[in-house]
């Protein structure tokens, strides 16, 4: 049997180094792939949580008739006063959230009564057509259903 020459002995560590790099790259790729699957799963979970929250809010927001009427009146008055006073949108929304919570409504952003009340308040504040369109877009965050509710509220006054 022939002995290992110095050139062959030098190749052995180089081979281990190359094999090690290949294993390291493979493990890194596997880890990245695993992370992507985990991210995808988390995204799916977030989407599921979001739709369950949406269905919860519609069931939770079912106030009785009198409670809903009081909330509508309060939103209408609040909106009219704040539009006349020129309150910034961010302040308006924060305080509207507090008003809704005082009525026991936790997801006011998803409650049609909120937007009907805003529309009625805009009518009480006597905003013109151009202003109405601006407020509808701002308050609804361009959601078509919320814009329609604001318009219906405005038209009822």
């Amino acid at each position: 049997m022939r002995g290992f020459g110095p050139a062959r002995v030098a190749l052995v560590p180089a081979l281990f180094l190359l094999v090690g790099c290949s294993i390291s790259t493979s493990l890194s790729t596997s880890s990245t792939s695993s992370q992507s699957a985990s991210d995808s799963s988390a995204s799916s979970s977030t989407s599921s949580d979001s739709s369950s929250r949406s269905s919860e809010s519609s069931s939770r927001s079912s106030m009785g008739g009198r409670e809903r009427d009081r909330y509508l009146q309060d939103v209408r008055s609040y909106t009219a006063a704040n539009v006349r006073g020129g309150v910034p949108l961010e302040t308006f929304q924060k305080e509207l959230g507090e008003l809704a919570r005082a009525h026991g409504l936790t997801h006011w952003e998803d409650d049609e009564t909120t937007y009907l009340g805003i529309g009625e308040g805009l009518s009480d504040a006597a905003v013109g057509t151009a202003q109405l369109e601006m407020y509808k877009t701002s308050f609804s965050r361009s959601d078509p259903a919320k814009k329609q509710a604001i318009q219906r509220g405005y038209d009822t006054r």
Side-chain angles (χ1 to χ4, degrees):
M1 184 167 156
R2 292 176 57 187
F4 291 108
R8 288 188 178 168
V9 172
L11 284 176
V12 172
L15 285 174
F16 281 123
L17 182 63
L18 287 173
V19 170
C21 286
S22 175
I23 291 172
S24 171
T25 301
S26 174
L27 289 175
S28 174
T29 302
S30 172
S31 172
T32 302
S33 176
S34 173
Q35 182 63 38
S36 291
S38 172
D39 290 347
S40 175
S41 174
S43 175
S44 173
S45 172
T46 301
S47 175
S48 173
D49 288 348
S50 176
S51 56
S52 101
R53 249 186 274 121
S54 176
S55 66
E56 282 176 19
S57 70
S58 61
S59 66
R60 246 192 262 157
S61 68
S62 54
M63 294 183 206
R66 287 185 186 158
E67 293 168 350
R68 186 158 298 286
D69 288 345
R70 280 191 294 256
Y71 176 63
L72 180 70
Q73 290 169 1
D74 286 351
V75 171
R76 178 179 57 232
S77 299
Y78 171 78
T79 301
N82 282 279
V83 166
R84 287 182 191 125
V87 172
L89 178 63
E90 185 177 294
T91 303
F92 175 86
Q93 289 177 326
K94 180 180 175 228
E95 292 176 358
L96 183 57
E98 292 169 8
L99 174 69
R101 278 188 292 285
H103 282 274
L105 187 63
T106 55
H107 296 284
W108 64 269
E109 302 95 335
D110 298 323
D111 191 278
E112 183 180 49
T113 303
T114 301
Y115 298 95
L116 291 169
I118 289 172
E120 290 181 11
L122 292 171
S123 181
D124 288 358
V127 300
T129 306
Q131 283 182 305
L132 174 63
E133 291 305 315
M134 180 196 67
Y135 283 123
K136 281 174 25 181
T137 300
S138 297
F139 292 148
S140 71
R141 297 196 175 173
S142 299
D143 180 308
K146 293 173 183 175
K147 279 181 161 183
Q148 286 179 335
I150 292 170
Q151 185 67 55
R152 281 195 325 271
Y154 183 85
D155 291 342
T156 62
R157 301 293 287 170

